[in-house]
Amino acid sequence: KLFLDDPKGTSPLANLCTPYDMPFFSKKEAYALAEKYLPKPTNISLNEGEVEQAWEKSKGNPGRLQEELKRCLAQKINKLEGES
């Protein structure tokens, strides 16, 4: 790390930002995330297997899970556009 968030150290964020550890998502939470935040106007959804695969690749890491879900959705959209 370039700067440690340590009040005794030299981090520019010391005493400004509160560290927050985001817990990893369970499979159930991953399904809920995909269902709630996928773009509704497109009527495109990811099936259970796609969400599970994204969860397994990300190991539930919040940032990686979002990236994997986004990647899965982009693949699905590209495939549908190719069929048109």
Side-chain angles (χ1 to χ4, degrees), residues 2-84:
L2 181 59
F3 295 107
L4 297 177
D5 292 330
D6 179 4
K8 297 175 188 163
T10 59
S11 171
L13 302 177
N15 296 321
L16 295 176
C17 299
T18 304
Y20 181 76
D21 291 324
M22 182 74 177
F24 281 37
F25 281 78
S26 66
K27 281 186 189 179
K28 185 177 178 179
E29 291 168 326
Y31 294 125
L33 178 71
E35 183 179 309
K36 184 171 183 172
Y37 291 105
L38 285 177
K40 299 298 180 199
T42 62
N43 293 322
I44 296 172
S45 62
L46 297 176
N47 64 42
E48 196 172 306
E50 291 166 324
V51 175
E52 185 165 342
Q53 183 180 17
W55 182 83
E56 287 175 1
K57 283 186 174 183
S58 69
K59 297 179 176 56
N61 178 288
R64 291 188 184 126
L65 177 60
Q66 289 180 24
E67 289 173 7
E68 285 297 322
L69 291 171
K70 182 178 177 182
R71 186 190 57 74
C72 287
L73 183 63
Q75 281 182 338
K76 193 168 238 185
I77 289 171
N78 289 338
K79 184 178 178 183
L80 290 171
E81 287 175 349
E83 294 174 359
S84 303

